Amino acid sequence: MAKDDLVGWGWQPGEGRTLPPLSRPAFAAQVKIWLDNGAFAPREFTKKSTN
């Protein structure tokens, strides 16, 4: 899981912006579960090939 400033910015977005619905640790836990289970993404949500 990325631990960089860009990812962290989501939880410090600045005045007038909405925080994500999960805390950063809860989000990281959910991403780990997703990765551990193969990081499946339905085709309609992935970039389609132009080949």
Side-chain angles (χ1 to χ4, degrees):
M1 171 81 184
K3 294 182 180 181
D4 59 27
D5 291 338
L6 181 59
V7 172
W9 177 86
W11 286 269
Q12 298 175 4
E15 188 176 332
R17 296 183 181 197
T18 304
L19 288 171
L22 296 174
S23 68
R24 189 171 180 181
F27 174 77
Q30 291 300 309
V31 169
K32 183 177 182 332
I33 291 168
W34 178 62
L35 292 172
D36 289 348
N37 286 289
F40 175 75
R43 179 120 177 107
E44 64 267 20
F45 296 112
T46 61
K47 185 177 179 180
K48 296 191 185 327
S49 175
T50 58
N51 295 341

